[in-house]
C-alpha cells in the first residue's frame, strides 16, 4: 500500500512522469487505518533540470519513519 501511495504522490508532484523503478526499505509496521504523510526529496536531476531520482519518506505520527523509498522517475 505504501509503495502505491508513494508512486501516486511522485506522479502528482511531477506531472508527465512515471515511476520506472522503486526500491523500498520498510522500517516499521503501519497499523490499518493509521495516517501516514509522505515527504518527497529530489536526489538527482537530468541535464534539463527534471528530477530523475527521488527519495520518499513515509512517516507516521510521532515522526516514526515507516518506509524509505528510492524512486527512479522517467518522463513519459
Amino acid at each position: 500500500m505504501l509503495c502505491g501511495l508513494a508512486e501516486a504522490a511522485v506522479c502528482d508532484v511531477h506531472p508527465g512522469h512515471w515511476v520506472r523503478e522503486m526500491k523500498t526499505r520498510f522500517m516499521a509496521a503501519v497499523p490499518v487505518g493509521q495516517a501516514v504523510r509522505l515527504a518527497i526529496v529530489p536526489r538527482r536531476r537530468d541535464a534539463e533540470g527534471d528530477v530523475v531520482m527521488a527519495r520518499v519518506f513515509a512517516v507516521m505520527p510521532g515522526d516514526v519513519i515507516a518506509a524509505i523509498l528510492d524512486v527512479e522517475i522517467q518522463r513519459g
Side-chain angles (χ1 to χ4, degrees):
M1 180 71 164
L2 289 176
C3 292
L5 291 172
E7 180 177 6
V10 167
C11 291
D12 283 347
V13 171
H14 300 285
H17 290 73
W18 58 279
V19 173
R20 183 172 180 268
E21 184 176 318
M22 181 184 299
K23 295 179 183 173
T24 305
R25 291 179 301 276
F26 295 99
M27 313 298 283
V30 178
V32 173
Q34 177 66 63
V36 175
R37 72 179 188 274
L38 300 174
I40 302 171
V41 180
R43 303 276 291 177
R44 188 174 59 216
R45 296 180 184 271
D46 64 12
E48 290 81 36
D50 286 336
V51 174
V52 294
M53 181 73 70
R55 180 163 282 171
V56 181
F57 295 91
V59 184
M60 295 187 296
D63 293 331
V64 174
I65 297 175
I68 300 170
L69 305 96
D70 289 316
V71 182
E72 187 174 331
I73 306 164
Q74 183 170 336
R75 183 172 290 281

Short mmCIF file of all heavy atoms in Angstrom, two decimals:
data_model
loop_
_atom_site.label_atom_id
_atom_site.label_comp_id
_atom_site.label_asym_id
_atom_site.label_seq_id
_atom_site.Cartn_x
_atom_site.Cartn_y
_atom_site.Cartn_z
N MET A 1 0.82 -1.18 0.00
CA MET A 1 0.00 0.00 0.00
C MET A 1 0.88 1.26 0.00
O MET A 1 0.60 2.20 -0.73
CB MET A 1 -0.92 -0.04 1.22
CG MET A 1 -1.82 1.13 1.32
SD MET A 1 -3.08 1.05 0.07
CE MET A 1 -4.24 2.20 0.69
N LEU A 2 1.92 1.28 0.84
CA LEU A 2 2.80 2.45 0.88
C LEU A 2 3.49 2.68 -0.46
O LEU A 2 3.65 3.83 -0.87
CB LEU A 2 3.85 2.29 1.99
CG LEU A 2 3.35 2.40 3.42
CD1 LEU A 2 4.50 2.13 4.39
CD2 LEU A 2 2.73 3.74 3.69
N CYS A 3 3.86 1.63 -1.14
CA CYS A 3 4.51 1.79 -2.45
C CYS A 3 3.55 2.42 -3.45
O CYS A 3 3.94 3.31 -4.21
CB CYS A 3 4.99 0.43 -2.96
SG CYS A 3 6.34 -0.26 -2.00
N GLY A 4 2.32 2.00 -3.46
CA GLY A 4 1.32 2.57 -4.36
C GLY A 4 1.04 4.02 -4.04
O GLY A 4 0.93 4.86 -4.95
N LEU A 5 0.94 4.36 -2.76
CA LEU A 5 0.73 5.75 -2.37
C LEU A 5 1.91 6.62 -2.76
O LEU A 5 1.74 7.74 -3.24
CB LEU A 5 0.49 5.84 -0.85
CG LEU A 5 -0.82 5.25 -0.34
CD1 LEU A 5 -0.82 5.25 1.19
CD2 LEU A 5 -2.01 6.02 -0.88
N ALA A 6 3.12 6.10 -2.56
CA ALA A 6 4.32 6.87 -2.93
C ALA A 6 4.38 7.09 -4.43
O ALA A 6 4.70 8.19 -4.90
CB ALA A 6 5.57 6.15 -2.44
N GLU A 7 4.07 6.06 -5.21
CA GLU A 7 4.09 6.21 -6.67
C GLU A 7 3.09 7.27 -7.12
O GLU A 7 3.41 8.14 -7.94
CB GLU A 7 3.77 4.88 -7.34
CG GLU A 7 3.79 4.97 -8.86
CD GLU A 7 3.55 3.64 -9.53
OE1 GLU A 7 3.26 2.64 -8.85
OE2 GLU A 7 3.65 3.60 -10.76
N ALA A 8 1.88 7.23 -6.58
CA ALA A 8 0.86 8.23 -6.94
C ALA A 8 1.30 9.63 -6.55
O ALA A 8 1.11 10.59 -7.31
CB ALA A 8 -0.46 7.87 -6.27
N ALA A 9 1.91 9.77 -5.38
CA ALA A 9 2.35 11.09 -4.92
C ALA A 9 3.46 11.65 -5.82
O ALA A 9 3.44 12.82 -6.19
CB ALA A 9 2.83 11.01 -3.47
N VAL A 10 4.41 10.81 -6.19
CA VAL A 10 5.51 11.25 -7.06
C VAL A 10 4.96 11.69 -8.42
O VAL A 10 5.35 12.72 -8.95
CB VAL A 10 6.57 10.14 -7.23
CG1 VAL A 10 7.53 10.44 -8.36
CG2 VAL A 10 7.34 9.95 -5.93
N CYS A 11 4.02 10.93 -8.97
CA CYS A 11 3.45 11.27 -10.27
C CYS A 11 2.59 12.54 -10.18
O CYS A 11 2.52 13.30 -11.15
CB CYS A 11 2.64 10.10 -10.82
SG CYS A 11 3.68 8.69 -11.29
N ASP A 12 1.96 12.78 -9.04
CA ASP A 12 1.19 14.03 -8.84
C ASP A 12 2.13 15.23 -8.78
O ASP A 12 1.83 16.29 -9.31
CB ASP A 12 0.36 13.96 -7.55
CG ASP A 12 -0.89 13.12 -7.69
OD1 ASP A 12 -1.27 12.78 -8.84
OD2 ASP A 12 -1.49 12.81 -6.66
N VAL A 13 3.25 15.08 -8.10
CA VAL A 13 4.21 16.17 -7.94
C VAL A 13 4.97 16.44 -9.24
O VAL A 13 5.34 17.57 -9.52
CB VAL A 13 5.19 15.86 -6.79
CG1 VAL A 13 6.33 16.86 -6.74
CG2 VAL A 13 4.45 15.83 -5.46
N HIS A 14 5.17 15.39 -10.04
CA HIS A 14 5.92 15.51 -11.30
C HIS A 14 5.02 15.05 -12.46
O HIS A 14 5.19 13.95 -12.99
CB HIS A 14 7.21 14.67 -11.24
CG HIS A 14 8.12 15.09 -10.15
ND1 HIS A 14 8.89 16.23 -10.22
CD2 HIS A 14 8.39 14.54 -8.94
CE1 HIS A 14 9.59 16.36 -9.11
NE2 HIS A 14 9.30 15.36 -8.31
N PRO A 15 4.07 15.90 -12.86
CA PRO A 15 3.16 15.51 -13.95
C PRO A 15 3.93 15.20 -15.24
O PRO A 15 4.95 15.82 -15.53
CB PRO A 15 2.27 16.74 -14.16
CG PRO A 15 2.52 17.64 -13.00
CD PRO A 15 3.83 17.25 -12.38
N GLY A 16 3.43 14.22 -15.98
CA GLY A 16 4.08 13.82 -17.22
C GLY A 16 5.22 12.84 -17.02
O GLY A 16 5.89 12.46 -17.97
N HIS A 17 5.44 12.43 -15.77
CA HIS A 17 6.49 11.46 -15.46
C HIS A 17 5.84 10.18 -14.93
O HIS A 17 4.70 10.20 -14.47
CB HIS A 17 7.44 12.01 -14.40
CG HIS A 17 8.31 13.12 -14.90
ND1 HIS A 17 7.83 14.38 -15.13
CD2 HIS A 17 9.63 13.15 -15.20
CE1 HIS A 17 8.82 15.14 -15.55
NE2 HIS A 17 9.92 14.43 -15.60
N TRP A 18 6.58 9.10 -14.97
CA TRP A 18 6.12 7.85 -14.37
C TRP A 18 7.28 7.21 -13.62
O TRP A 18 8.44 7.54 -13.85
CB TRP A 18 5.54 6.91 -15.43
CG TRP A 18 6.46 6.54 -16.55
CD1 TRP A 18 6.76 7.30 -17.65
CD2 TRP A 18 7.23 5.35 -16.67
NE1 TRP A 18 7.66 6.64 -18.45
CE2 TRP A 18 7.97 5.45 -17.89
CE3 TRP A 18 7.38 4.22 -15.89
CZ2 TRP A 18 8.83 4.45 -18.32
CZ3 TRP A 18 8.24 3.22 -16.34
CH2 TRP A 18 8.94 3.35 -17.53
N VAL A 19 6.94 6.32 -12.72
CA VAL A 19 7.96 5.66 -11.90
C VAL A 19 8.50 4.47 -12.68
O VAL A 19 7.76 3.55 -13.04
CB VAL A 19 7.37 5.21 -10.55
CG1 VAL A 19 8.38 4.37 -9.78
CG2 VAL A 19 6.96 6.43 -9.74
N ARG A 20 9.79 4.53 -12.96
CA ARG A 20 10.46 3.47 -13.72
C ARG A 20 10.91 2.33 -12.80
O ARG A 20 10.86 1.17 -13.16
CB ARG A 20 11.67 4.07 -14.46
CG ARG A 20 12.40 3.09 -15.32
CD ARG A 20 13.45 3.85 -16.16
NE ARG A 20 14.15 2.91 -17.00
CZ ARG A 20 15.26 2.31 -16.66
NH1 ARG A 20 15.82 2.54 -15.50
NH2 ARG A 20 15.83 1.46 -17.49
N GLU A 21 11.36 2.70 -11.62
CA GLU A 21 11.87 1.70 -10.66
C GLU A 21 11.70 2.23 -9.25
O GLU A 21 11.82 3.44 -9.02
CB GLU A 21 13.35 1.44 -10.95
CG GLU A 21 13.97 0.37 -10.10
CD GLU A 21 15.41 0.08 -10.49
OE1 GLU A 21 15.70 0.02 -11.70
OE2 GLU A 21 16.24 -0.06 -9.58
N MET A 22 11.43 1.32 -8.31
CA MET A 22 11.29 1.72 -6.91
C MET A 22 11.92 0.65 -6.02
O MET A 22 11.69 -0.54 -6.21
CB MET A 22 9.80 1.86 -6.56
CG MET A 22 9.55 2.29 -5.13
SD MET A 22 7.79 2.33 -4.70
CE MET A 22 7.17 3.55 -5.83
N LYS A 23 12.73 1.11 -5.08
CA LYS A 23 13.32 0.22 -4.08
C LYS A 23 12.84 0.71 -2.72
O LYS A 23 12.94 1.90 -2.43
CB LYS A 23 14.84 0.26 -4.15
CG LYS A 23 15.38 -0.29 -5.45
CD LYS A 23 16.88 -0.20 -5.50
CE LYS A 23 17.37 -0.68 -6.86
NZ LYS A 23 18.79 -0.46 -7.02
N THR A 24 12.36 -0.21 -1.91
CA THR A 24 11.73 0.17 -0.65
C THR A 24 12.37 -0.56 0.52
O THR A 24 12.66 -1.76 0.44
CB THR A 24 10.23 -0.16 -0.69
OG1 THR A 24 9.65 0.46 -1.83
CG2 THR A 24 9.53 0.32 0.56
N ARG A 25 12.58 0.20 1.59
CA ARG A 25 13.02 -0.39 2.86
C ARG A 25 11.93 -0.08 3.89
O ARG A 25 11.65 1.08 4.17
CB ARG A 25 14.36 0.22 3.29
CG ARG A 25 15.50 -0.20 2.39
CD ARG A 25 16.81 0.44 2.81
NE ARG A 25 16.78 1.90 2.81
CZ ARG A 25 16.98 2.67 1.74
NH1 ARG A 25 17.20 2.12 0.56
NH2 ARG A 25 16.96 3.97 1.83
N PHE A 26 11.33 -1.13 4.41
CA PHE A 26 10.30 -0.95 5.42
C PHE A 26 10.96 -0.91 6.80
O PHE A 26 11.76 -1.77 7.14
CB PHE A 26 9.27 -2.08 5.34
CG PHE A 26 8.49 -2.06 4.05
CD1 PHE A 26 8.84 -2.89 3.00
CD2 PHE A 26 7.44 -1.17 3.88
CE1 PHE A 26 8.14 -2.86 1.81
CE2 PHE A 26 6.73 -1.13 2.69
CZ PHE A 26 7.08 -1.98 1.65
N MET A 27 10.62 0.12 7.56
CA MET A 27 11.27 0.35 8.85
C MET A 27 10.36 0.02 10.04
O MET A 27 10.85 -0.28 11.12
CB MET A 27 11.70 1.82 8.96
CG MET A 27 12.41 2.36 7.72
SD MET A 27 13.94 1.50 7.37
CE MET A 27 15.00 2.21 8.58
N ALA A 28 9.04 0.14 9.84
CA ALA A 28 8.09 -0.10 10.93
C ALA A 28 6.76 -0.52 10.33
O ALA A 28 6.40 -0.10 9.23
CB ALA A 28 7.91 1.16 11.76
N ALA A 29 6.03 -1.33 11.06
CA ALA A 29 4.69 -1.73 10.62
C ALA A 29 3.73 -0.56 10.75
O ALA A 29 3.81 0.22 11.71
CB ALA A 29 4.21 -2.91 11.46
N VAL A 30 2.83 -0.43 9.79
CA VAL A 30 1.82 0.62 9.82
C VAL A 30 0.47 -0.05 10.10
O VAL A 30 -0.01 -0.84 9.28
CB VAL A 30 1.75 1.38 8.47
CG1 VAL A 30 0.67 2.44 8.51
CG2 VAL A 30 3.10 1.99 8.14
N PRO A 31 -0.14 0.27 11.24
CA PRO A 31 -1.45 -0.32 11.55
C PRO A 31 -2.50 0.11 10.52
O PRO A 31 -2.44 1.22 9.99
CB PRO A 31 -1.79 0.24 12.93
CG PRO A 31 -0.48 0.69 13.51
CD PRO A 31 0.36 1.10 12.33
N VAL A 32 -3.46 -0.77 10.25
CA VAL A 32 -4.55 -0.44 9.32
C VAL A 32 -5.26 0.80 9.82
O VAL A 32 -5.58 0.93 11.00
CB VAL A 32 -5.53 -1.63 9.22
CG1 VAL A 32 -6.76 -1.25 8.40
CG2 VAL A 32 -4.83 -2.84 8.62
N GLY A 33 -5.48 1.76 8.92
CA GLY A 33 -6.18 3.00 9.26
C GLY A 33 -5.28 4.09 9.80
O GLY A 33 -5.74 5.21 10.04
N GLN A 34 -3.99 3.79 9.97
CA GLN A 34 -3.06 4.78 10.50
C GLN A 34 -2.74 5.84 9.44
O GLN A 34 -2.47 5.50 8.30
CB GLN A 34 -1.75 4.10 10.93
CG GLN A 34 -0.67 5.04 11.42
CD GLN A 34 -1.05 5.72 12.72
OE1 GLN A 34 -1.24 5.07 13.72
NE2 GLN A 34 -1.20 7.02 12.67
N ALA A 35 -2.76 7.09 9.82
CA ALA A 35 -2.38 8.18 8.91
C ALA A 35 -0.87 8.13 8.66
O ALA A 35 -0.09 7.83 9.57
CB ALA A 35 -2.76 9.53 9.51
N VAL A 36 -0.50 8.39 7.42
CA VAL A 36 0.91 8.43 7.03
C VAL A 36 1.10 9.65 6.15
O VAL A 36 0.30 9.92 5.26
CB VAL A 36 1.31 7.15 6.25
CG1 VAL A 36 2.73 7.24 5.75
CG2 VAL A 36 1.13 5.92 7.12
N ARG A 37 2.16 10.42 6.39
CA ARG A 37 2.47 11.52 5.49
C ARG A 37 3.70 11.14 4.67
O ARG A 37 4.55 10.37 5.11
CB ARG A 37 2.66 12.83 6.25
CG ARG A 37 3.91 12.95 7.05
CD ARG A 37 3.98 14.33 7.75
NE ARG A 37 5.26 14.52 8.37
CZ ARG A 37 5.60 14.13 9.58
NH1 ARG A 37 4.72 13.50 10.34
NH2 ARG A 37 6.80 14.36 10.05
N LEU A 38 3.74 11.68 3.45
CA LEU A 38 4.84 11.37 2.54
C LEU A 38 5.67 12.62 2.31
O LEU A 38 5.12 13.69 2.04
CB LEU A 38 4.31 10.85 1.21
CG LEU A 38 3.47 9.58 1.27
CD1 LEU A 38 2.90 9.26 -0.10
CD2 LEU A 38 4.29 8.41 1.79
N ALA A 39 6.97 12.50 2.41
CA ALA A 39 7.89 13.60 2.12
C ALA A 39 8.74 13.17 0.93
O ALA A 39 9.39 12.13 0.97
CB ALA A 39 8.76 13.91 3.32
N ILE A 40 8.72 13.95 -0.15
CA ILE A 40 9.46 13.64 -1.36
C ILE A 40 10.67 14.56 -1.46
O ILE A 40 10.52 15.78 -1.46
CB ILE A 40 8.57 13.79 -2.61
CG1 ILE A 40 7.34 12.88 -2.48
CG2 ILE A 40 9.36 13.47 -3.88
CD1 ILE A 40 6.30 13.12 -3.55
N VAL A 41 11.85 13.96 -1.53
CA VAL A 41 13.09 14.73 -1.58
C VAL A 41 13.81 14.41 -2.91
O VAL A 41 14.19 13.26 -3.13
CB VAL A 41 14.01 14.36 -0.40
CG1 VAL A 41 15.30 15.15 -0.46
CG2 VAL A 41 13.29 14.57 0.92
N PRO A 42 13.98 15.41 -3.80
CA PRO A 42 14.72 15.16 -5.04
C PRO A 42 16.16 14.74 -4.73
O PRO A 42 16.79 15.29 -3.83
CB PRO A 42 14.70 16.51 -5.76
CG PRO A 42 13.58 17.27 -5.14
CD PRO A 42 13.50 16.78 -3.73
N ARG A 43 16.67 13.75 -5.47
CA ARG A 43 18.03 13.26 -5.25
C ARG A 43 18.95 13.51 -6.43
O ARG A 43 20.14 13.69 -6.27
CB ARG A 43 17.99 11.76 -4.95
CG ARG A 43 17.13 11.37 -3.76
CD ARG A 43 17.83 11.51 -2.49
NE ARG A 43 18.87 10.49 -2.45
CZ ARG A 43 19.73 10.37 -1.48
NH1 ARG A 43 19.70 11.17 -0.46
NH2 ARG A 43 20.66 9.44 -1.51
N ARG A 44 18.39 13.47 -7.65
CA ARG A 44 19.21 13.68 -8.84
C ARG A 44 18.34 14.27 -9.94
O ARG A 44 17.17 13.93 -10.08
CB ARG A 44 19.81 12.35 -9.31
CG ARG A 44 20.83 12.51 -10.42
CD ARG A 44 21.53 11.22 -10.77
NE ARG A 44 20.56 10.23 -11.17
CZ ARG A 44 20.63 8.93 -10.92
NH1 ARG A 44 21.63 8.44 -10.24
NH2 ARG A 44 19.72 8.10 -11.33
N ARG A 45 18.94 15.17 -10.74
CA ARG A 45 18.26 15.81 -11.87
C ARG A 45 19.02 15.52 -13.15
O ARG A 45 20.23 15.29 -13.11
CB ARG A 45 18.16 17.32 -11.65
CG ARG A 45 17.30 17.69 -10.45
CD ARG A 45 17.22 19.19 -10.26
NE ARG A 45 16.48 19.53 -9.07
CZ ARG A 45 15.15 19.70 -9.03
NH1 ARG A 45 14.45 19.60 -10.13
NH2 ARG A 45 14.55 20.00 -7.90
N ASP A 46 18.30 15.57 -14.28
CA ASP A 46 18.96 15.38 -15.57
C ASP A 46 19.47 16.73 -16.09
O ASP A 46 19.36 17.75 -15.41
CB ASP A 46 18.04 14.69 -16.58
CG ASP A 46 16.80 15.51 -16.93
OD1 ASP A 46 16.73 16.70 -16.58
OD2 ASP A 46 15.89 14.94 -17.57
N ALA A 47 20.00 16.75 -17.31
CA ALA A 47 20.59 17.96 -17.89
C ALA A 47 19.56 19.08 -18.05
O ALA A 47 19.90 20.27 -18.00
CB ALA A 47 21.22 17.65 -19.24
N GLU A 48 18.28 18.73 -18.22
CA GLU A 48 17.22 19.73 -18.37
C GLU A 48 16.67 20.21 -17.02
O GLU A 48 15.81 21.07 -16.97
CB GLU A 48 16.06 19.16 -19.21
CG GLU A 48 16.39 18.96 -20.68
CD GLU A 48 17.16 17.67 -20.92
OE1 GLU A 48 16.89 16.67 -20.23
OE2 GLU A 48 18.06 17.67 -21.77
N GLY A 49 17.13 19.61 -15.94
CA GLY A 49 16.68 20.01 -14.61
C GLY A 49 15.52 19.20 -14.08
O GLY A 49 15.04 19.46 -12.98
N ASP A 50 15.05 18.21 -14.84
CA ASP A 50 13.97 17.35 -14.36
C ASP A 50 14.50 16.37 -13.31
O ASP A 50 15.60 15.84 -13.45
CB ASP A 50 13.36 16.54 -15.51
CG ASP A 50 12.49 17.36 -16.44
OD1 ASP A 50 11.98 18.41 -16.00
OD2 ASP A 50 12.34 16.95 -17.61
N VAL A 51 13.70 16.12 -12.30
CA VAL A 51 14.07 15.14 -11.28
C VAL A 51 14.01 13.75 -11.90
O VAL A 51 13.02 13.39 -12.53
CB VAL A 51 13.12 15.23 -10.06
CG1 VAL A 51 13.40 14.12 -9.07
CG2 VAL A 51 13.24 16.59 -9.39
N VAL A 52 15.07 12.98 -11.74
CA VAL A 52 15.11 11.61 -12.26
C VAL A 52 15.25 10.58 -11.12
O VAL A 52 15.05 9.40 -11.34
CB VAL A 52 16.22 11.40 -13.31
CG1 VAL A 52 15.92 12.21 -14.56
CG2 VAL A 52 17.58 11.72 -12.76
N MET A 53 15.57 11.06 -9.93
CA MET A 53 15.67 10.19 -8.76
C MET A 53 15.18 10.98 -7.55
O MET A 53 15.56 12.13 -7.37
CB MET A 53 17.11 9.74 -8.53
CG MET A 53 17.32 8.81 -7.35
SD MET A 53 16.72 7.12 -7.59
CE MET A 53 17.87 6.50 -8.78
N ALA A 54 14.32 10.33 -6.76
CA ALA A 54 13.81 10.97 -5.56
C ALA A 54 13.78 9.95 -4.42
O ALA A 54 13.73 8.74 -4.66
CB ALA A 54 12.41 11.53 -5.79
N ARG A 55 13.82 10.44 -3.22
CA ARG A 55 13.65 9.60 -2.04
C ARG A 55 12.34 10.02 -1.38
O ARG A 55 12.09 11.21 -1.18
CB ARG A 55 14.82 9.76 -1.08
CG ARG A 55 14.67 8.90 0.17
CD ARG A 55 15.95 8.75 0.91
NE ARG A 55 16.76 7.74 0.20
CZ ARG A 55 18.02 7.49 0.49
NH1 ARG A 55 18.62 8.14 1.46
NH2 ARG A 55 18.69 6.57 -0.18
N VAL A 56 11.53 9.04 -1.06
CA VAL A 56 10.24 9.29 -0.42
C VAL A 56 10.28 8.68 0.97
O VAL A 56 10.66 7.52 1.15
CB VAL A 56 9.07 8.67 -1.23
CG1 VAL A 56 7.74 8.97 -0.56
CG2 VAL A 56 9.09 9.18 -2.67
N PHE A 57 9.91 9.49 1.96
CA PHE A 57 9.82 9.02 3.33
C PHE A 57 8.34 8.89 3.69
O PHE A 57 7.59 9.85 3.53
CB PHE A 57 10.49 10.00 4.30
CG PHE A 57 11.97 10.13 4.10
CD1 PHE A 57 12.49 11.09 3.25
CD2 PHE A 57 12.84 9.28 4.76
CE1 PHE A 57 13.86 11.22 3.06
CE2 PHE A 57 14.21 9.40 4.57
CZ PHE A 57 14.72 10.36 3.72
N ALA A 58 7.93 7.73 4.16
CA ALA A 58 6.58 7.52 4.68
C ALA A 58 6.69 7.63 6.20
O ALA A 58 7.38 6.83 6.84
CB ALA A 58 6.05 6.15 4.27
N VAL A 59 6.02 8.64 6.75
CA VAL A 59 6.20 8.97 8.16
C VAL A 59 4.87 8.90 8.91
O VAL A 59 3.87 9.49 8.48
CB VAL A 59 6.81 10.39 8.31
CG1 VAL A 59 7.10 10.70 9.76
CG2 VAL A 59 8.07 10.51 7.47
N MET A 60 4.86 8.19 10.02
CA MET A 60 3.68 8.08 10.88
C MET A 60 3.73 9.15 11.95
O MET A 60 4.77 9.80 12.15
CB MET A 60 3.63 6.69 11.53
CG MET A 60 3.44 5.55 10.56
SD MET A 60 3.20 3.95 11.37
CE MET A 60 4.76 3.70 12.20
N PRO A 61 2.62 9.34 12.68
CA PRO A 61 2.64 10.29 13.80
C PRO A 61 3.78 9.95 14.77
O PRO A 61 4.17 8.79 14.92
CB PRO A 61 1.27 10.08 14.46
CG PRO A 61 0.40 9.62 13.34
CD PRO A 61 1.29 8.76 12.49
N GLY A 62 4.30 10.99 15.41
CA GLY A 62 5.44 10.81 16.29
C GLY A 62 6.74 10.79 15.51
O GLY A 62 7.78 10.43 16.06
N ASP A 63 6.67 11.15 14.23
CA ASP A 63 7.83 11.17 13.34
C ASP A 63 8.53 9.82 13.22
O ASP A 63 9.74 9.73 13.09
CB ASP A 63 8.83 12.26 13.76
CG ASP A 63 8.26 13.65 13.55
OD1 ASP A 63 7.42 13.81 12.64
OD2 ASP A 63 8.66 14.57 14.27
N VAL A 64 7.73 8.75 13.26
CA VAL A 64 8.25 7.40 13.07
C VAL A 64 8.29 7.12 11.57
O VAL A 64 7.27 7.19 10.89
CB VAL A 64 7.36 6.35 13.78
CG1 VAL A 64 7.83 4.94 13.47
CG2 VAL A 64 7.34 6.60 15.28
N ILE A 65 9.48 6.81 11.05
CA ILE A 65 9.62 6.51 9.63
C ILE A 65 9.18 5.07 9.40
O ILE A 65 9.77 4.13 9.94
CB ILE A 65 11.07 6.72 9.15
CG1 ILE A 65 11.45 8.19 9.30
CG2 ILE A 65 11.23 6.26 7.70
CD1 ILE A 65 12.89 8.50 8.98
N ALA A 66 8.13 4.91 8.60
CA ALA A 66 7.60 3.58 8.30
C ALA A 66 8.32 2.95 7.12
O ALA A 66 8.49 1.73 7.07
CB ALA A 66 6.11 3.67 8.00
N ALA A 67 8.74 3.79 6.14
CA ALA A 67 9.42 3.26 4.96
C ALA A 67 10.23 4.36 4.29
O ALA A 67 9.89 5.53 4.39
CB ALA A 67 8.41 2.69 3.96
N ILE A 68 11.30 3.94 3.63
CA ILE A 68 12.11 4.82 2.81
C ILE A 68 12.10 4.22 1.41
O ILE A 68 12.45 3.05 1.23
CB ILE A 68 13.55 4.93 3.33
CG1 ILE A 68 13.56 5.48 4.76
CG2 ILE A 68 14.40 5.80 2.40
CD1 ILE A 68 14.92 5.40 5.44
N LEU A 69 11.66 5.03 0.44
CA LEU A 69 11.52 4.54 -0.93
C LEU A 69 12.40 5.35 -1.86
O LEU A 69 12.32 6.57 -1.89
CB LEU A 69 10.06 4.67 -1.38
CG LEU A 69 9.03 4.00 -0.47
CD1 LEU A 69 8.44 5.00 0.50
CD2 LEU A 69 7.94 3.35 -1.26
N ASP A 70 13.28 4.69 -2.60
CA ASP A 70 14.10 5.34 -3.61
C ASP A 70 13.42 5.10 -4.95
O ASP A 70 13.17 3.95 -5.34
CB ASP A 70 15.53 4.78 -3.62
CG ASP A 70 16.29 5.23 -2.38
OD1 ASP A 70 16.18 6.41 -2.02
OD2 ASP A 70 16.98 4.39 -1.77
N VAL A 71 13.09 6.19 -5.64
CA VAL A 71 12.26 6.14 -6.84
C VAL A 71 13.02 6.72 -8.02
O VAL A 71 13.56 7.82 -7.94
CB VAL A 71 10.96 6.94 -6.61
CG1 VAL A 71 10.06 6.86 -7.82
CG2 VAL A 71 10.23 6.45 -5.37
N GLU A 72 13.08 5.94 -9.11
CA GLU A 72 13.64 6.44 -10.35
C GLU A 72 12.47 6.88 -11.23
O GLU A 72 11.52 6.13 -11.43
CB GLU A 72 14.44 5.34 -11.05
CG GLU A 72 15.19 5.85 -12.26
CD GLU A 72 16.08 4.78 -12.85
OE1 GLU A 72 16.55 3.89 -12.12
OE2 GLU A 72 16.32 4.86 -14.08
N ILE A 73 12.54 8.13 -11.72
CA ILE A 73 11.44 8.74 -12.45
C ILE A 73 11.86 8.94 -13.90
O ILE A 73 13.00 9.29 -14.19
CB ILE A 73 11.09 10.12 -11.83
CG1 ILE A 73 10.81 9.96 -10.34
CG2 ILE A 73 9.90 10.75 -12.53
CD1 ILE A 73 10.84 11.26 -9.58
N GLN A 74 10.90 8.77 -14.81
CA GLN A 74 11.18 8.97 -16.23
C GLN A 74 10.04 9.76 -16.85
O GLN A 74 8.88 9.57 -16.51
CB GLN A 74 11.31 7.60 -16.92
CG GLN A 74 11.67 7.70 -18.38
CD GLN A 74 12.02 6.33 -18.92
OE1 GLN A 74 12.40 5.42 -18.20
NE2 GLN A 74 11.87 6.17 -20.22
N ARG A 75 10.40 10.67 -17.75
CA ARG A 75 9.37 11.44 -18.47
C ARG A 75 8.65 10.48 -19.39
O ARG A 75 9.24 9.67 -20.05
CB ARG A 75 10.00 12.59 -19.26
CG ARG A 75 8.96 13.43 -19.97
CD ARG A 75 9.57 14.68 -20.59
NE ARG A 75 10.00 15.65 -19.60
CZ ARG A 75 9.20 16.49 -18.95
NH1 ARG A 75 7.90 16.46 -19.18
NH2 ARG A 75 9.67 17.34 -18.07
N GLY A 76 7.33 10.59 -19.40
CA GLY A 76 6.57 9.65 -20.22
C GLY A 76 5.54 10.35 -20.95
O GLY A 76 4.75 10.24 -21.67
#
